Amino acid sequence: ANGYYFSRWNKCIHSSRDLSDMVYIDNYIFNKDVFIQYNSTVGQFVGYTELGVHNAELWNKDPNKLQQMTAQLEGYCKHNAEAYKAVVADKS
């Protein structure tokens, strides 16, 4: 659309079977550059561009937004990793 590209990618990263080291990362990308990122280890948004820094400051002031993002670690990452482990990993 008009030569601009926006996407949002999130991922869950872990290296242990007990999922204790799991990290949730949510990237906001504009024209293939990450401009803002949420990392559950940091517990807040970090901006990488002028717009990203501005939005990170606003979003970090909103306790509801931070709580939603923190909840993604349990509700999205750990839930899906446990389901995958039960269906695929434990069968091999």
Side-chain angles (χ1 to χ4, degrees), residues 22-74:
M22 185 166 278
V23 178
Y24 173 70
I25 297 174
D26 191 4
N27 291 310
Y28 295 77
I29 302 162
F30 182 72
N31 285 352
K32 300 182 183 177
D33 290 324
V34 174
F35 69 94
I36 190 167
Q37 180 182 75
Y38 176 83
N39 184 318
S40 65
T41 302
V42 177
Q44 63 182 13
F45 292 92
V46 176
Y48 296 102
T49 65
E50 185 177 345
L51 176 63
V53 169
H54 175 74
N55 284 335
E57 289 173 358
L58 291 175
W59 295 351
N60 288 332
K61 290 178 185 175
D62 184 352
N64 291 327
K65 182 125 178 116
L66 290 176
Q67 186 177 14
Q68 280 181 318
M69 299 305 290
T70 302
Q72 292 294 335
L73 182 63
E74 292 293 326

Side-chain angles (χ1 to χ4, degrees), residues 73-90:
L73 182 63
E74 292 293 326
Y76 175 70
C77 289
K78 289 187 178 177
H79 169 77
N80 288 327
E82 288 168 355
Y84 176 82
K85 191 170 106 176
V87 172
V88 177
D90 289 343

